[in-house]
Amino acid sequence: MDASNPIATAGRTPTASRVRPGRRVADRVLILASTIATLLGIVVLGSILLMLIVEGLKGFSPALFTAPTPGPGSEGGGIANAILGSLIMTLLGILIATPIGLMAGTFLAEYGRTSKIADVIRFLNDVLLSAPSILIGLFVYTLMVRPMGTYSGWAGAVALAIIATPVIVRTTEDMLRLVPGPMREAGAALGAPRSLVIRAVTWRAASAGIVTGIILALARIAGETAPLLFTALNNNSWFNANLLGGVPNLPVMIYQFALSPYPNWQSLAWSGALLITVTILALSVVARFVIKDQRAR
Amino acid sequence: MTALTQTLTVARESSVARTAPSKTGDRLFQGAAYASALLVLLVLAGILGSIIYGAWPAFSEFGFGFVTSSAWNIGTEQFGALPAIIGTVAAALLALLIGVPVSLGIAIYLTQLCPGWARKPVAMTIELLASVPSIIYGMWGLFVFAPLFARFVQVPVSNLVEGLPIVGTILYARIPSGVGVLTAGIILAIMIVPFVASITRDMLDQIPTVLRESAYGIGCTTWEVVRHVLVPQASVSIIGAIMLGLGRALGETMAVTFVIGNANRLSASIFDPGSTIASRIANEFNEADGLQLSSLMALGCLLFIITFFVLIIARLLVRRTKVA
């Protein structure tokens, strides 16, 4: 590779001459390789963003946000129904996941520090955190879509909630564990029952961290496609107000439109992809700053 | 001063009416916390239960032959999992082969080489790769990466190895379209890199600085410090991080569905299209019914077993060092 260069340098600087060329080369190769690896990561992210901006901005127009998705092969239209469907299902998912995740994380950090069952739950929650999302889609399909006889936004929201919950459990527990014990003791010394100490002292002290967890969960589920394929599916018009039947959503719309042969659909898919990625990256960056804020305090 | 008096008055007044706090609310709260935690267990059991329930007809019809058969014929209702299993494992292993060295490189760069001012932005860029949705990786893989890959890798390599024994089979693209098992492996590698790199970085950061400085002090090069001091210290958790990446690669769906080509047969070449368990389910589930649906559920069941086995090992390895 760059073998001649280190030896040349070695000859010039007297201290380095004592290092055998073999060691120098191994060292230089490592430095070069790890720098290239890092650059590769940055280039890939840059290339993805560039692709989304170039292709996505072409189709940007006010109609994108006001018109529903067009039929196959027809011109015009937008992705307003998919945006609205995604918003509703993601928010419903977070609404279901937040209380459950918050309480489960509280149990793990406050009540179950030493118990066996808490250890098991903590462990399985970590496993669930990286479980394939398509399996969660199959589960919710069996649980809700088949008995109800129809795809629905509710099933989609439940599937997203199942993906969001472990994220919230994990961050809530981690953040509550950072709250110093003396704060809880101070609360208890004032005569507050344990539940009040948790709500008024520990939760409040860890609030920024808990909010971060919820934002991260939001970022995680906003782009999930696989679990929505079998639960909410998609729909090329406005959806029912009761969320029964196919509910259009950005990820599945992108999946179907990007692989379609119609240029108009492909262009809409690119615009949707740009929209969803920018939203998710923004959420991730915001979550990071909330954490920083918490640590500074 | 007035504020203090007011507080005192309030305190005095409330002391008159003070009663022991009710236990009911406290118990309710604890009960709710406990129930929510149990729900996590219930969901996991529910996932396994529902998939086994759905897969039962296929398992009882084909028995163990389901795993070893490579048939997938909707007309004759013959289904086998072998091509999908092999595709899943092959793509995931290729992803590790490519992704792990890159992840370690990034972790080493961030902890050892990166100048202080650049550390945070670079780390953040790498971590942002983890939040890009999988479907976007699929689009990038299909529309940006695959054409370049076909032109600059598949075609020249195929021409080079054509007719050679073994290599000529593994690295020969019959139709150099850019999609295939190797493309899926490369995209998966990019997707697992941020996870593996950030866990490895955290582990390297936890190693006491004294160890590192002593090694540098006796004249070690960066390579020697990494190889003989840092890696042995963090090896268990690095393996855990790799297993975690493997778990993700095995179950990844959308990105793979875009770039693997979704072919229904076994091929000896990693340039040829194939399919994974997850991509097969994503492609066929909505149009399937009867035995095909059940067979897809059975594929899901196999995926559940493989990934959970891998993830459990991963978590055990990562956890053990965190406690130690």
Side-chain angles (χ1 to χ4, degrees):
Chain A
M1 187 154 286
D2 205 353
S4 63
N5 185 30
I7 299 168
T9 337
R12 249 179 281 133
T13 47
T15 43
S17 64
R18 269 176 262 143
V19 181
R20 270 189 290 112
R23 291 177 62 202
R24 291 227 110 197
V25 171
D27 191 46
R28 285 293 162 91
V29 168
L30 174 81
I31 291 174
L32 198 69
S34 38
T35 312
I36 289 175
T38 311
L39 284 178
L40 221 58
I42 296 170
V43 165
V44 167
L45 184 67
S47 150
I48 290 174
L49 290 179
L50 191 71
M51 161 194 90
L52 289 174
I53 291 168
V54 167
E55 296 285 337
L57 279 183
K58 277 185 205 159
F60 254 67
S61 67
L64 205 61
F65 301 97
T66 54
T69 41
S74 52
E75 285 305 304
I79 52 173
N81 54 344
I83 296 175
L84 188 66
S86 261
L87 273 179
I88 290 176
M89 281 193 286
T90 311
L91 291 181
L92 274 177
I94 280 293
L95 277 180
I96 300 169
T98 300
I100 297 172
L102 180 65
M103 291 304 274
T106 306
F107 174 78
L108 293 180
E110 301 289 331
Y111 293 106
R113 283 210 174 179
T114 50
S115 76
K116 262 269 171 315
I117 182 88
D119 280 344
V120 173
I121 292 172
R122 190 174 298 124
F123 185 81
L124 290 179
N125 184 67
D126 277 357
V127 171
L128 203 56
L129 197 62
S130 26
S133 55
I134 193 159
L135 294 181
I136 290 160
L138 289 182
F139 169 54
V140 177
Y141 175 85
T142 319
L143 186 77
M144 294 179 70
V145 175
R146 210 183 239 185
M148 288 165 79
T150 171
Y151 294 101
S152 70
W154 301 107
V158 168
L160 293 180
I162 292 176
I163 295 167
T165 307
V167 182
I168 300 178
V169 172
R170 178 70 192 264
T171 41
T172 303
E173 193 201 348
D174 286 352
M175 291 302 154
L176 290 180
R177 274 168 180 268
L178 289 178
V179 177
M183 285 180 73
R184 296 187 184 90
E185 286 160 16
L190 289 172
R194 200 161 180 191
S195 60
L196 187 63
V197 173
I198 290 171
R199 273 176 293 150
V201 180
T202 27
W203 276 4
R204 194 170 290 179
S207 60
I210 294 173
V211 170
T212 308
I214 296 170
I215 300 175
L216 285 177
L218 202 60
R220 169 89 197 271
I221 63 174
E224 278 290 351
T225 316
L228 293 179
L229 271 179
F230 320 138
T231 53
L233 200 63
N234 199 356
N235 178 354
N236 264 336
S237 58
W238 292 100
F239 46 92
N240 296 326
N242 59 11
L243 298 185
L244 294 178
V247 172
N249 57 87
L250 281 173
V252 178
M253 181 283 287
I254 295 170
Y255 172 55
Q256 292 178 343
F257 283 20
L259 295 176
S260 76
Y262 312 112
N264 185 35
W265 271 17
Q266 288 168 1
S267 150
L268 290 173
W270 283 112
S271 302
L274 174 65
L275 203 63
I276 208 165
T277 312
V278 168
T279 311
I280 289 170
L281 290 185
L283 282 174
S284 311
V285 173
V286 166
R288 235 157 269 269
F289 281 111
V290 180
I291 283 193
K292 207 191 254 170
D293 192 39
Q294 163 95 341
R295 282 191 186 142
R297 253 190 265 163
Chain B
M1 199 60 211
T2 42
L4 183 64
T5 330
Q6 254 172 8
T7 325
L8 282 174
T9 328
V10 172
R12 223 174 287 136
E13 274 167 9
S14 65
S15 76
V16 178
R18 182 181 296 155
T19 46
S22 152
K23 285 267 179 242
T24 333
D26 210 34
R27 291 222 181 95
L28 270 178
F29 187 83
Q30 182 169 359
Y34 191 51
S36 306
L38 283 181
L39 205 60
V40 172
L41 287 189
L42 206 67
V43 165
L44 205 57
I47 295 175
L48 184 61
S50 72
I51 292 175
I52 291 179
Y53 167 78
W56 194 250
F59 278 137
S60 59
E61 171 81 22
F62 303 118
F64 190 71
F66 182 72
V67 182
T68 54
S69 158
S70 55
W72 195 271
N73 194 323
I74 297 161
T76 61
E77 297 225 307
Q78 285 300 312
F79 299 105
L82 194 64
I85 295 175
I86 291 181
T88 307
V89 174
L93 288 183
L94 285 170
L96 286 192
L97 213 65
I98 301 159
V100 168
V102 175
S103 313
L104 294 185
I106 291 175
I108 291 166
Y109 181 81
L110 282 175
T111 52
Q112 314 297 320
L113 306 167
C114 190
W117 58 268
R119 194 164 292 184
K120 270 203 179 131
V122 172
M124 185 153 159
T125 311
I126 299 295
E127 276 173 29
L128 279 184
L129 274 176
S131 35
V132 173
S134 116
I135 191 162
I136 305 298
Y137 278 109
M139 291 175 88
W140 184 80
L142 184 63
F143 297 115
V144 176
F145 182 76
L148 294 174
F149 187 69
R151 193 163 154 209
F152 294 108
V153 180
Q154 281 191 336
V155 173
V157 172
S158 292
N159 289 340
L160 197 71
V161 300
E162 194 175 358
L164 293 177
I166 306 174
V167 202
T169 325
I170 297 176
L171 292 176
Y172 182 72
R174 244 167 292 172
I175 309 145
S177 59
V179 299
V181 178
L182 181 59
T183 315
I186 293 171
I187 300 297
L188 284 176
I190 297 172
M191 296 179 72
I192 63 171
V193 156
F195 290 98
V196 181
S198 83
I199 297 176
T200 312
R201 190 200 58 184
D202 288 349
M203 294 301 154
L204 293 182
D205 269 341
Q206 275 177 19
I207 296 171
T209 324
V210 182
L211 276 177
R212 218 172 75 198
E213 285 174 354
S214 332
Y216 278 121
I218 58 169
C220 287
T221 61
T222 310
W223 160 250
E224 286 156 352
V225 173
V226 168
R227 171 70 190 78
H228 298 290
V229 180
L230 300 183
V231 169
Q233 282 279 319
S235 58
V236 177
S237 33
I238 292 176
I239 295 171
I242 294 170
M243 298 288 275
L244 212 58
L246 179 62
R248 281 195 181 262
L250 286 168
E252 180 47 57
T253 310
M254 299 319 293
V256 173
T257 309
F258 269 83
V259 297
I260 201 162
N262 300 313
N264 228 340
R265 55 169 193 279
L266 275 175
S267 168
S269 168
I270 54 172
F271 280 161
D272 273 349
S275 65
T276 68
I277 293 178
S279 74
R280 180 75 58 84
I281 298 174
N283 263 319
E284 297 187 7
F285 195 83
N286 280 325
E287 279 91 42
D289 56 5
L291 203 55
Q292 190 192 1
L293 188 88
S294 179
S295 299
L296 289 170
M297 282 284 192
L299 279 180
C301 190
L302 295 175
L303 180 65
F304 184 99
I305 295 166
I306 302 171
T307 46
F308 278 73
F309 188 65
V310 169
L311 288 176
I312 284 172
I313 295 175
R315 289 296 176 186
L316 286 175
L317 290 174
V318 173
R319 184 156 296 237
R320 205 171 69 192
T321 41
K322 262 194 178 162
V323 176

